[in-house]
Amino acid sequence: MLSAASGGVTVDFDYTVLFQMVIFVLLMFLLEPLLFQPVLRIFALREERTEGARAKARALEERAGELLKRYEKELERVHRVAAAERERLRQETTALEAEILHEARGATARIVEEGRRRIESEVSRVRFDLGREAEQLSRGIVEKALAGGSS
């Protein structure tokens, strides 16, 4: 044994150290199946579930990405169809407007022409009546003049 006077540490090696080593080894053998393996299994199971959840999350993200792409493609297709439909309706409206204007012009022209014919007919009738009245007036004047000059 080393002395304390020389400044060293005194280590007393007896059976308690050996007893503690035996207890340690015994506890290692007993605790391994009872504590260490279950804890390691729990860690492995947790890791497996975590990886499974991550893989599932990745798969869901990929599916969501695919769905988003499909949605965007479908939305673009709908926009194209709507634009084509708007253009078709605009062309139909323009054609219908042109047709209505053509019919309105034709109807206006017919109405104007019919009005002109009526006016010409009325003017002719009025001229004829005025001519008759003028003739009757001139006869009356002539008769009065002839009748007044003979008296």
Side-chain angles (χ1 to χ4, degrees):
M1 301 261 169
L2 298 173
S3 78
S6 66
V9 176
T10 325
V11 177
D12 190 15
F13 189 75
D14 59 3
Y15 294 109
T16 59
V17 172
L18 189 60
F19 180 67
Q20 287 176 356
M21 287 171 65
V22 169
I23 289 177
F24 179 76
V25 171
L26 183 64
L27 282 175
M28 287 288 289
F29 283 115
L30 287 175
L31 290 178
E32 184 179 350
L34 295 175
L35 180 67
F36 296 141
Q37 286 180 358
V39 168
L40 290 175
R41 271 192 305 241
I42 289 172
F43 287 159
L45 183 61
R46 186 179 75 180
E47 185 66 26
E48 181 181 311
R49 285 184 181 171
T50 302
E51 285 302 315
R54 285 182 185 154
K56 188 175 182 180
R58 278 192 297 275
L60 288 174
E61 283 180 1
E62 289 175 5
R63 179 149 163 63
E66 290 172 6
L67 288 174
L68 180 62
K69 286 179 185 176
R70 280 184 26 210
Y71 169 76
E72 288 172 348
K73 285 180 183 177
E74 186 64 20
L75 187 62
E76 170 130 0
R77 187 189 67 78
V78 167
H79 283 299
R80 282 194 314 269
V81 168
E85 186 66 18
R86 266 194 314 271
E87 182 62 25
R88 185 187 64 78
L89 288 174
R90 188 189 62 75
Q91 289 174 354
E92 285 180 8
T93 304
T94 303
L96 184 61
E97 180 184 15
E99 181 181 333
I100 290 171
L101 284 174
H102 178 72
E103 289 176 6
R105 285 183 183 127
T108 303
R110 284 192 301 274
I111 290 171
V112 168
E113 187 59 37
E114 185 179 321
R116 282 184 183 152
R117 278 194 306 254
R118 282 184 184 171
I119 289 171
E120 287 176 8
S121 170
E122 193 66 28
V123 166
S124 296
R125 189 178 56 75
V126 168
R127 282 185 181 162
F128 179 75
D129 288 346
L130 281 175
R132 262 196 344 216
E133 282 186 35
E135 187 178 314
Q136 285 175 358
L137 278 175
S138 44
R139 276 191 203 142
I141 291 173
V142 169
E143 283 178 8
K144 282 188 181 182
L146 289 178
S150 10
S151 351

